[in-house]
Amino acid sequence: MKKRLAVWKFASCDGCQLSLLACEDEFLALAEAVDIAYFLEASSRIKNGPYDLSLVEGSITTAHDLQRIQEVRRVSKKLMTIGACATSGGIQALRDFADIKEFTSAVYARPEYIETLATSTPISAHVSVDYELRGCPVNKRQLLQVVSALINDLPPHVASHPVCVECKLRGNVCVTVAQGTPCLGPITHAGCGALCPSFARGCYGCFGPADSHNVEALTRLLADQLSELEITRIFSTFNSGAPAFREQHDKLVRLRVLGKQGS
Amino acid sequence: MSEDISAELVLPRERCGELLELVVKKGYRLIGPKLEQGAIVFGPLRGVDDLPEGWTDEQSPGRYRAVRRSDASLFGYAAGPRSLRRFFQLPDVELVVLRRGQDGPRLDYGSGDTRPIALIGARGCDLRALAIQDQVLARGAYPDPRYVARRANTLVIAVQCTEPSGSCFCTSMGAGPRAELGFDLALTEVVDAERHHFVVEVGSERGRELVAELALALAAPRLSSEARERVAGAAARMGRRFEEAAVHDALLANLEHPEWDRLGERCLSCTNCTLVCPTCFCTTSEDRIDLTGDVVERHVRHDSCFSEEFSHLHGGSARASIRSRYRQWLTHKFATWYDQFGSSGCVGCGRCITSCPVGIDVTQEISVIGGEPCKLNP
């Protein structure tokens, strides 16, 4: 019998679900291989759970979602988060650094209609997660490989080394060494196939911290290339909720405040 | 031409294209230097026009820049950030495909392109590195048949090095700048305002056949000695030197030196040094299954001892700290490689020094950790 797949959305831009739809030819093969039982972005036809594999996009930002994720976990045999929002809170976790009331009153004409939590948290902060797939958005090749492994009851392989390995496998010349371009590649989790450095740009850290990283050493290197403010910002983008990036961001902010007080 | 294999010949610049065309006509794929992504790197060449004419490089720890030369040298640069390794031990290769069939499983072994390679512009350090990889991958107890097949019949047209970079130390490792062995032809570029010639040394019967077909003239003794002087000049300009024979014992006697802690703080563990190194040979394998579950591919790809997963055993990584991974790499490359393979694993090309984003200089580290016996420029 075919495995049953569900795709869930929480606070997110839908880009990771779109990566699944963007598989096109392979998406048809996926529809053959599994029973797509719940995937509102693709079909309004819903089949009830339980589901063999749930892919979860988005972070938890509302009281309602706090309850809904518990229900998703209850009906899922295996649960895999897809993308930066579900895995580390996403760009919307920038609210964690600020006052949410100020944000809602600046953005919405009638802020009293907005019911939201003060934080944006990853799925793993609320339920147990079996697998996490990084990226903003996820890489479709990696997504298909992992889904293929899981529906065939094999352990998925997701390399946790830094982007530098993917650069070298492609034969890229290091943009930091040969161009002096700031690059988060040495501390960023692989998976994108070194997309930005392959086009002579530095890595922006879309896949969050690699399993082993030396953020402090990279920060010292970035200090030759970027301003203090720019370095603080580069650690507070799509993965600002990932502990290694958040700690460095907070530390840099503290140092800046101290520096200003001293001067 | 002379029957004397040791006689040197002269190839005028304008006949370089002919030489490469002849090599292609004999069925070889050309791999040589070209300007790509702001660096002079090894890659497939279409012909002489792909060579980095008039370019050189500036290198120092953590920094590489391709810059214009004042002359039209074709080979006037030092070792670039892409070594020859990837052309013989592919970065990611399909080892085997397993298919579910009506009559049971079927295995297909990938072969890849095994047309012989002609290396254009390999240096002494590059050839020493190939010899080391041959020792590891082709002559050990478990030869890698894919490597052996790709290495078979490699034609080597070396170019003697006349331009060491600020990161080079081949003289310390006994790997250059002169290539003495392992080539079919070795060229030395002599270029100035009036002339642009290559002095050609013949290193094999295959090389002799090539120059015979081109009917090259004998090099005037003065030109030959000028070529030798240029290579000797490169040796004299080598940025650093140390007593390599002392390194094995000095490193292994200092496994708890405090410098390892400082390295653990500086090193990004990015893997750059290992993946630009021409002798690093480590790989891992990955299985990829398709959606139907009917086809599984096993891939072998380059890996690095700086990745935490590399030493993952039951329960976790055996080298969880960056300090321990750095120590493993440096002591293996410069010390325990001797115990394992009978030589150093380093050829002094300086790639790891230039390509380290934070500029860690292995020769500097060896001199600090090894102490007096390993001090730089004694």
Side-chain angles (χ1 to χ4, degrees):
Chain A
M1 206 174 88
K2 281 182 184 179
K3 295 269 169 52
R4 308 183 78 219
L5 179 76
V7 184
W8 308 91
K9 175 189 158 65
F10 289 82
S12 58
C13 76
D14 289 40
C16 292
Q17 295 183 66
L18 278 175
S19 299
L20 197 54
L21 286 174
C23 290
E24 298 184 358
D25 288 351
E26 292 107 322
F27 184 73
L28 296 178
L30 178 71
E32 285 282 307
V34 298
D35 178 6
I36 301 178
Y38 184 100
F39 186 8
L40 290 183
E41 186 129 330
S43 167
S44 52
R45 195 187 47 172
I46 294 171
K47 295 180 190 165
N48 289 331
Y51 309 100
D52 294 293
L53 174 62
S54 276
L55 306 179
V56 178
E57 177 195 86
S59 67
I60 303 300
T61 57
T62 67
H64 175 237
D65 282 352
L66 270 175
Q67 292 172 351
R68 196 160 61 95
I69 190 60
Q70 298 297 336
E71 177 59 17
V72 168
R73 176 71 265 192
R74 205 178 57 75
V75 296
S76 307
K77 287 184 188 163
K78 284 178 191 155
L79 188 157
M80 178 165 79
T81 61
I82 53 170
C85 297
T87 305
S88 72
I91 190 79
Q92 59 273 23
L94 286 175
R95 69 170 64 184
D96 301 5
F97 303 116
D99 182 354
I100 192 66
K101 286 215 176 78
E102 268 182 52
F103 276 165
T104 48
S105 51
V107 172
Y108 298 99
R110 302 292 300 270
E112 63 272 26
Y113 290 164
I114 305 297
E115 276 180 38
T116 186
L117 301 174
T119 54
S120 168
T121 42
I123 302 303
S124 62
H126 307 283
V127 295
S128 76
V129 168
D130 300 300
Y131 303 99
E132 291 181 331
L133 202 56
R134 309 282 198 88
C136 184
V138 291
N139 171 288
K140 76 170 197 183
R141 172 188 47 82
Q142 198 170 43
L143 179 61
L144 275 174
Q145 274 176 15
V146 168
V147 169
S148 300
L150 289 174
I151 63 177
N152 286 295
D153 297 318
L154 288 172
H157 186 86
V158 176
S160 65
H161 52 225
V163 171
C164 299
V165 175
E166 297 190 309
C167 262
K168 298 303 175 297
L169 292 177
R170 287 181 74 143
N172 288 349
V173 172
C174 179
V175 296
T176 292
V177 169
Q179 319 273 354
T181 304
C183 179
L184 290 187
I187 59 168
T188 299
H189 198 287
C192 64
L195 193 55
C196 289
S198 301
F199 291 90
R201 289 159 58 101
C203 165
Y204 283 79
C206 303
F207 279 60
D211 276 9
S212 171
H213 47 70
N214 191 341
V215 177
E216 197 59 45
L218 188 73
T219 303
R220 287 195 294 270
L221 176 63
L222 292 173
D224 298 336
Q225 302 161 325
L226 297 172
S227 72
E228 255 179 277
L229 181 63
E230 285 170 322
I231 300 173
T232 310
R233 282 185 175 160
I234 207 161
F235 286 117
S236 52
T237 62
F238 325 102
N239 289 283
S240 63
F245 285 5
R246 171 154 302 185
E247 283 158 23
Q248 195 65 4
H249 167 271
D250 291 351
K251 185 177 161 189
L252 292 168
V253 168
R254 261 196 326 272
L255 289 172
R256 287 184 70 219
V257 171
L258 289 174
K260 279 196 185 122
Q261 282 169 350
S263 62
Chain B
M1 68 161 274
S2 162
E3 285 305 304
D4 178 5
I5 200 166
S6 67
E8 294 183 345
L9 304 155
V10 61
L11 173 74
R13 156 68 181 91
E14 56 277 13
R15 294 194 64 198
C16 264
E18 254 178 87
L19 170 61
L20 297 193
E21 283 161 24
L22 180 60
V23 168
V24 171
K25 214 169 73 186
K26 288 179 178 292
Y28 293 95
R29 291 181 289 151
L30 302 178
I31 300 292
K34 60 208 277 196
L35 189 68
E36 198 182 299
Q37 302 174 53
I40 300 160
V41 294
F42 283 117
L45 299 181
R46 287 165 301 183
V48 72
D49 292 339
D50 282 347
L51 294 172
E53 181 175 1
W55 285 93
T56 187
D57 51 65
E58 290 171 0
Q59 298 190 41
S60 56
R63 187 176 186 277
Y64 180 103
R65 292 292 182 277
V67 290
R68 277 282 178 192
R69 293 178 61 88
S70 57
D71 62 26
S73 289
L74 296 179
F75 299 93
Y77 55 83
R82 201 187 286 155
S83 80
L84 291 172
R85 173 190 180 189
R86 65 187 300 106
F87 304 105
F88 299 106
Q89 194 197 32
L90 299 185
D92 185 333
V93 64
E94 192 181 277
L95 174 62
V96 63
V97 185
L98 181 59
R99 288 185 180 82
R100 208 193 300 273
Q102 301 253 306
D103 319 312
R106 205 175 77 230
L107 281 169
D108 289 311
Y109 291 90
S111 56
D113 192 346
T114 50
R115 276 181 302 152
I117 286 173
L119 295 176
I120 311 299
R123 305 291 201 202
C125 57
D126 294 317
L127 297 182
R128 171 63 70 86
L130 277 181
I132 291 173
Q133 287 223 315
D134 288 349
Q135 171 72 21
V136 175
L137 296 169
R139 282 201 287 277
Y142 305 100
D144 173 352
R146 294 172 308 281
Y147 177 87
V148 171
R150 295 179 68 82
R151 268 294 273 137
N153 305 316
T154 307
L155 180 79
V156 178
I157 301 183
V159 175
Q160 303 289 13
C161 179
T162 52
E163 287 289 345
S165 83
S167 298
C168 291
F169 57 101
C170 64
T171 48
S172 301
M173 305 311 300
R178 253 192 86 73
E180 306 278 358
L181 288 169
F183 56 78
D184 296 287
L185 296 177
L187 317 181
T188 307
E189 191 165 22
V190 178
V191 55
D192 57 31
E194 291 89 45
R195 334 155 280 175
H196 194 165
H197 294 315
F198 291 91
V199 172
V200 183
E201 298 161 67
V202 178
S204 73
E205 183 53 31
R206 257 194 317 181
R208 201 191 59 76
E209 284 167 17
L210 280 174
V211 294
E213 284 188 49
L214 292 172
L216 298 183
L218 282 170
R222 182 141 39 112
L223 187 64
S224 276
S225 63
E226 221 181 306
R228 279 174 188 275
E229 277 163 31
R230 287 184 182 231
V231 180
R237 289 201 309 283
M238 210 59 60
R240 64 205 76 207
R241 195 181 165 80
F242 59 93
E243 207 44 68
E244 202 271 320
V247 175
H248 176 277
D249 292 355
L251 278 186
L252 296 183
N254 285 289
L255 292 176
E256 298 303 328
H257 195 287
E259 182 65 9
W260 297 116
D261 299 331
R262 287 192 286 272
L263 280 165
E265 286 164 17
R266 285 180 69 198
C267 171
L268 293 166
S269 200
C270 69
T271 74
N272 272 9
C273 49
T274 52
L275 295 176
V276 298
C277 178
T279 69
C280 274
F281 55 82
C282 286
T283 54
T284 189
S285 63
E286 288 172 0
D287 290 348
R288 299 172 197 165
I289 193 164
D290 79 339
L291 283 163
T292 62
D294 291 336
V295 184
V296 186
E297 296 172 4
R298 173 157 292 184
H299 284 247
V300 177
R301 67 157 172 84
H302 291 182
D303 201 1
S304 168
C305 52
F306 280 93
S307 120
E308 194 168 325
E309 272 180 313
F310 181 78
S311 64
H312 187 97
L313 304 170
H314 57 90
S317 176
R319 295 187 203 100
S321 71
I322 294 177
R323 173 191 182 272
S324 65
R325 296 202 285 275
Y326 197 94
R327 188 176 66 175
Q328 161 65 24
W329 181 66
L330 197 74
T331 54
H332 185 219
K333 188 66 65 180
F334 286 89
T336 52
W337 202 292
Y338 272 105
D339 309 326
Q340 197 177 1
F341 302 114
S343 75
S344 173
C346 175
V347 300
C349 68
R351 285 185 174 92
C352 60
I353 300 176
T354 298
S355 288
C356 174
V358 297
I360 296 175
D361 177 341
V362 288
T363 64
Q364 191 71 39
E365 295 309 324
I366 286 169
S367 74
V368 171
I369 295 162
E372 187 59 25
C374 303
K375 77 174 184 195
L376 283 180
N377 309 317

